[in-house]
Amino acid sequence: MTEPIVPSRISKKSLSFADYCSLTFSGIICLINIFFVYKVFPFWGIYEPVVGVSFAFTLLFLLAPLILIDILTIARLRWRVRARKTPESKKPYRIMILMISACTAFVFVGNFHNMSMSSPKNNFNQFIRQREYIVKSVKSGELKGNRNCFQFESQFPREPINCMEIIELPDAYAGLSRSGKIELLKEANSIKIVFTHSTYGFGDGRATFVYFESEKGQSSLPNSRATQLRSNWFLAS
């Protein structure tokens, strides 16, 4: 009487030291991609552009080398997949290929978002609610600067008001204006609150979002070339 043939279990081949080294290196590349996007192309929270660094420099010396490293790493992982004998030994490499491909796409998404937010109008439209909150806090006296122009007005009611105040933004809103600071210009019949939008380039590309409110409710900035964005909001350069 013959015994039934039972297929023997095939033992999974463990990964070699070279496999672990290759996968560890690939994991480091993934972390570099994520860190790169977090520092250079952030697209969560309030966007804070880089000042004094040209976009061409970032593209040529930071983005291009990283993308090249990603491509070479993926090519190396694909070669390792073809060299593996069993599906079990191929699986970790296929997972790592997927992860690095996703990280590379992540870099591109961050890059395009960065380019979009470098446009003052795009930046303004995305964060108008946050800027209006800051304006409300300044007018209510919740946010104060080095001089406190509203208090200055109450202390000297008979003197003409002409006061400029530098106000430091809360940390969560620091990206709304260069260096995390805004300017309040208070006159007898009007207030201006100026947010400076940083731009790429080797010069001081100054573009400002100006909140202007006058006693008579005027809708334009006097003696200034400006483009109206919304009611009481203007873009000046």
Side-chain angles (χ1 to χ4, degrees):
M1 186 174 180
T2 60
E3 295 181 359
I5 299 175
V6 179
S8 61
R9 178 176 294 181
I10 301 175
S11 60
K12 296 182 180 180
K13 184 179 180 181
S14 60
L15 296 176
S16 65
F17 177 75
D19 290 328
Y20 283 116
C21 290
S22 181
L23 294 173
T24 300
F25 175 78
S26 302
I28 293 173
I29 296 300
C30 287
L31 294 177
I32 291 174
N33 276 268
I34 295 172
F35 179 78
F36 184 87
V37 174
Y38 176 75
K39 285 297 184 182
V40 182
F41 297 140
F43 55 93
W44 44 79
I46 293 176
Y47 178 75
E48 186 172 7
V50 180
V51 182
V53 179
S54 71
F55 183 73
F57 176 87
T58 304
L59 183 65
L60 182 62
F61 293 101
L62 296 178
L63 180 61
L66 181 61
I67 296 300
L68 179 60
I69 291 173
D70 288 349
I71 293 174
L72 293 175
T73 303
I74 292 174
R76 173 70 178 176
L77 291 173
R78 289 177 63 87
W79 177 83
R80 299 286 290 182
V81 168
R82 289 194 296 268
R84 299 300 90 191
K85 300 296 185 181
T86 64
E88 290 83 3
S89 61
K90 294 175 184 288
K91 185 176 180 180
Y93 287 101
R94 286 174 173 165
I95 293 175
M96 195 57 67
I97 288 173
L98 181 62
M99 290 178 60
I100 294 184
S101 299
C103 284
T104 305
F106 197 53
V107 170
F108 275 107
V109 171
N111 178 34
F112 287 123
H113 182 271
N114 183 291
M115 294 173 62
S116 174
M117 290 298 96
S118 293
S119 169
K121 289 185 179 180
N122 292 342
N123 185 281
F124 175 81
N125 289 329
Q126 179 159 345
F127 300 116
I128 175 61
R129 182 176 57 83
Q130 290 88 339
R131 289 191 169 90
E132 288 183 336
Y133 168 77
I134 293 298
V135 168
K136 181 180 178 181
S137 299
V138 170
K139 292 168 63 177
S140 67
E142 182 180 349
L143 276 180
K144 302 174 184 178
N146 56 335
R147 293 193 64 187
N148 196 347
C149 288
F150 290 101
Q151 185 179 20
F152 177 81
E153 179 182 10
S154 62
Q155 288 177 345
F156 305 97
R158 297 182 180 179
E159 296 184 8
I161 302 300
N162 188 3
C163 176
M164 187 184 82
E165 180 180 352
I166 305 297
I167 301 175
E168 188 168 349
L169 295 172
D171 292 340
Y173 297 86
L176 292 177
S177 186
R178 181 179 298 176
S179 301
K181 297 178 181 179
I182 59 175
E183 298 175 5
L184 167 64
L185 295 93
K186 179 77 172 67
E187 297 181 357
N189 299 320
S190 66
I191 62 169
K192 296 179 186 178
I193 301 176
V194 181
F195 298 75
T196 303
H197 173 65
S198 301
T199 57
Y200 279 108
F202 286 106
D204 180 24
R206 180 181 171 92
T208 58
F209 302 117
V210 181
Y211 177 86
F212 175 72
E213 182 180 296
S214 69
E215 188 179 65
K216 299 179 180 179
Q218 296 176 357
S219 60
S220 61
L221 282 174
N223 304 321
S224 177
R225 293 179 298 175
T227 302
Q228 186 163 7
L229 299 172
R230 297 195 182 192
S231 177
N232 297 114
W233 283 100
F234 302 85
L235 172 64
S237 58

